[in-house]
Amino acid sequence: MDKIDLRSDTVTWPTSRMRQAMMEAEVGDDVYGEDPTVNELERRAAQKFGKEAGLFVASGTMGNIVSIMAHCGRGERAIMGHSAHTHANEAGNPAVLGGIQPWVVPVQPDGTLLLEDIRAGISSDDPHFPRTTLVCVENTQGATGGQPLSAAYIERVGKLCREQGLRLHLDGARIFNAAVAEGTDVATLTAPADSITFCLSKGLCAPAGSVIVGSDEFIYKARRIRKLLGGGMRQAGILAAAGLIALEEMTERLSEDHATARAFAEGLAHIPGVEVQPERVKTNMVFLKLHADSRLDGRMLSKKLEEDNIILRPSGVYHFRAVTHYWIKPAHIDFVLERINRYLA
Ligand SMILES: *Cc1c(COP(=O)(O)O)cnc(C)c1O
C-alpha cells in the first residue's frame, strides 16, 4: 500500500498469498452448488462459528438483508439500534426490499442496546401492531468506535429473544475483532444468535465477500433470497479462495491492529488541540476531535496530511474516524503522529 490510508479497514488490499490462491482456485458454478472453493469456505465458516451451514454473499450489506428477510416476512418488525449499520447505512433495505418495519432503540455508548428498550419494542399480539420477529445486534458496534460486546451481554439478549419467541441476528461485520478484544472465540461469542454475518473484506483483507452462518433450515431460505437479490455469483471460488485465507490466517493477527489503534490514540492524547479517549479504543477504531480553536479544522488538516500520503477524512467539521488494519504498521503510526503534531502545534 503506497498510501497510509486510515479511512477504513475496507481499503485493505488482498495479500500476495491471497492473490496466489485466487489465481489457483478451483471453481465451478456456485448457483448449481458446484464451486468447491465456495463450498469449502461455507463449510469452514460454519464450523468456526459452531453453526450448521454457511452462505457466501457479495457484501456485508447483502448478508444482513438476506438474513433479515429470511427471518422476517412483510409487515413484521425487526428491532435494531438507531446507529446500527442495518438501520443507518444500508439504504433502508429492510423497509425498501423486505417490507419490514425497523424499530429503533438507542445504542448506548458501550455499543449495547438496553434490554428494557428491546423489551419495550416487542409488540403484543394485536391487529394494530406489526408482529415482532427479530432483534439485530452489531458486534463490534461501529458508530460508537468499534465497541466489542461481550459474550455475557449477547447471552442476555439471546435469553430475552428465546423467552419472547424472537430470532437474533448478529451483524458481525467485525466479529473477529470483537472476539480478539474479548479474549474469546467466535463460536462462544455468537452461540445465542440464530444468524451471523461477517465480512471477509475489512480487516481480514479479502477483496470482496461476506459469509452468513446459521442453521441448515435458515441457510436454505437465505440461499433463495440471495438469488432473489441477484447475489448468485457463479465462479465465485476466485473470491472465496481469498476468503479462506482471510478466515484461516488473518483473524488471529487482528490484535496487532488493536495495538496500533491504541498507540495512535495514546499518541494523539499528547498533541495539543486534539481530543481523544484512548480508554475507549478497544478494537481498531479511533475517534478524534479537533478543538474548535485548533490551528486547523478537519478539512484543512486532512489536506495537509494528504501531501504526506496520509489519508484521513473528516466527518463533520472537527471529527475524524481512523481505522487501523493490516497495511498500517507501527512505523506508519509514528509518522502520522509526528505530522499531526507538526501541523497542529
Ligand atoms: C461494513 C459493515 C457492514 C456492511 O458491509 P459491506 O461489505 O460494506 O456491505 C455491515 N455492518 C457493519 C457493522 C459494517 O461495519
Side-chain angles (χ1 to χ4, degrees):
M1 190 151 282
D2 51 357
K3 290 188 190 295
I4 304 173
D5 195 338
L6 288 161
R7 286 172 300 172
S8 177
D9 46 10
T10 57
V11 303
T12 46
W13 293 348
T15 63
S16 43
R17 282 199 26 80
M18 286 178 182
R19 289 176 191 264
Q20 189 67 33
M22 292 171 79
M23 202 163 71
E24 292 166 2
E26 247 190 276
V27 297
D29 190 327
D30 179 49
V31 177
Y32 295 163
E34 290 174 5
D35 189 303
T37 313
V38 171
N39 292 343
E40 179 66 4
L41 174 64
E42 293 177 347
R43 193 185 65 75
R44 285 215 236 161
Q47 194 178 39
K48 226 180 183 89
F49 282 80
K51 303 291 185 199
E52 288 172 353
L55 184 67
F56 185 53
V57 290
S59 65
T61 301
M62 183 178 278
N64 283 329
I65 189 59
V66 163
S67 300
I68 291 170
M69 287 174 69
H71 288 307
C72 299
R74 299 186 69 80
E76 293 182 350
R77 174 184 292 177
I79 299 173
M80 58 188 77
H82 77 286
S83 64
H85 203 280
T86 48
H87 180 61
N89 302 91
E90 299 185 1
N93 60 18
V96 175
L97 300 174
I100 295 154
Q101 183 194 50
W103 182 271
V104 293
V105 305
V107 174
Q108 301 301 309
D110 66 357
T112 62
L113 310 178
L114 296 179
L115 292 196
E116 66 224 54
D117 288 341
I118 295 175
R119 204 174 273 116
I122 303 170
S123 45
S124 56
D125 187 7
D126 177 307
H128 288 87
F129 307 135
R131 200 188 293 277
T132 306
T133 42
L134 181 69
V135 174
C136 299
V137 169
E138 182 174 314
N139 197 10
T140 63
Q141 212 286 332
T144 50
Q147 299 305 312
L149 312 185
S150 69
Y153 171 74
I154 306 285
E155 180 47 44
R156 285 198 292 279
V157 178
K159 183 162 177 285
L160 173 64
C161 289
R162 290 192 298 276
E163 284 165 7
Q164 300 288 331
L166 309 179
R167 299 285 161 78
L168 176 60
H169 172 68
L170 235 158
D171 177 359
R174 297 187 180 85
I175 194 69
F176 289 99
N177 295 85
V180 164
E182 290 296 314
T184 183
D185 57 86
V186 289
T188 307
L189 193 53
T190 64
D194 297 288
S195 57
I196 302 110
T197 301
F198 67 93
C199 291
L200 298 163
S201 57
K202 293 190 169 173
L204 303 184
C205 286
S210 285
V211 182
I212 309 170
V213 293
S215 67
D216 284 327
E217 191 190 347
F218 166 80
I219 293 294
Y220 180 81
K221 270 184 161 173
R223 197 174 286 280
R224 178 184 298 269
I225 297 166
R226 182 184 71 170
K227 187 72 181 123
L228 172 86
L229 297 175
M233 290 193 290
R234 310 298 175 183
Q235 285 74 37
I238 297 278
L239 293 171
L244 275 165
I245 292 175
L247 189 64
E248 299 300 335
E249 295 179 17
M250 303 299 280
T251 54
E252 298 307 319
R253 61 151 305 282
L254 293 171
S255 57
E256 295 170 28
D257 300 342
H258 300 179
T260 45
R262 181 57 89 103
F264 187 43
E266 282 166 0
L268 286 168
H270 291 108
I271 299 178
V274 179
E275 261 175 58
V276 63
Q277 293 176 279
E279 70 283 359
R280 283 186 58 77
V281 178
K282 307 251 172 63
T283 59
N284 66 335
M285 284 185 201
V286 180
F287 283 12
L288 57 129
K289 184 181 170 218
L290 304 179
H291 289 154
D293 58 1
S294 138
R295 280 184 54 189
L296 304 175
D297 69 13
R299 200 181 47 82
M300 286 150 72
L301 177 62
S302 171
K303 253 186 123 170
K304 284 296 236 180
L305 292 171
E306 202 148 343
E307 291 164 19
D308 299 318
N309 262 340
I310 298 165
I311 312 186
L312 191 57
R313 293 273 149 72
S315 42
V317 184
Y318 298 111
H319 291 81
F320 289 90
R321 179 191 82 159
V323 185
T324 58
H325 52 76
Y326 180 79
W327 299 98
I328 303 293
K329 304 301 174 194
H332 294 130
I333 293 298
D334 293 342
F335 176 65
V336 176
L337 285 169
E338 186 262 310
R339 290 302 154 130
I340 294 178
N341 191 49
R342 176 183 299 189
Y343 299 138
L344 294 181

